[in-house]
Amino acid sequence: MQQTRTTPIRYVEQVRVEAAKTLLEATHDGVARIARACGFGSDDSMRRAFLRGIGITPAEYRQRFRSTHPTPER
């Protein structure tokens, strides 16, 4: 894809990572639940996507960027 300078699969992965980042920041949901909600096959798939895309794991991302008042787990 010339406009995005990435492949379609990488673009989808980036969109999923962005969605997961939002949930990691704003909720108490577990990583496995967030992975499923964002279309990853497993929490391990999400972990690998985070490492590829932003260089840290979902748990590390949550620790660094979680809001001070996340919403309760659903």
Side-chain angles (χ1 to χ4, degrees):
M1 296 176 70
Q2 287 183 340
Q3 292 177 336
T4 60
R5 298 188 188 272
T6 190
T7 65
I9 194 73
R10 289 288 182 227
Y11 176 77
V12 170
E13 184 175 272
Q14 290 168 358
V15 170
R16 288 178 176 163
V17 166
E18 288 302 314
K21 286 166 53 177
T22 298
L23 293 175
L24 287 166
E25 291 174 27
T27 73
H28 288 289
D29 292 353
V31 171
R33 179 180 284 199
I34 291 172
R36 285 190 310 274
C38 294
F40 290 100
S42 67
D43 54 334
D44 191 52
S45 295
M46 186 169 85
R47 181 179 178 279
R48 289 191 309 269
F50 265 68
L51 288 170
R52 264 192 304 275
I54 59 175
I56 60 175
T57 67
E60 291 169 321
Y61 182 87
R62 174 173 265 169
Q63 186 176 13
R64 290 184 192 180
F65 299 105
R66 174 180 259 169
S67 80
T68 55
H69 303 288
T71 58
E73 190 166 334
R74 294 174 246 155

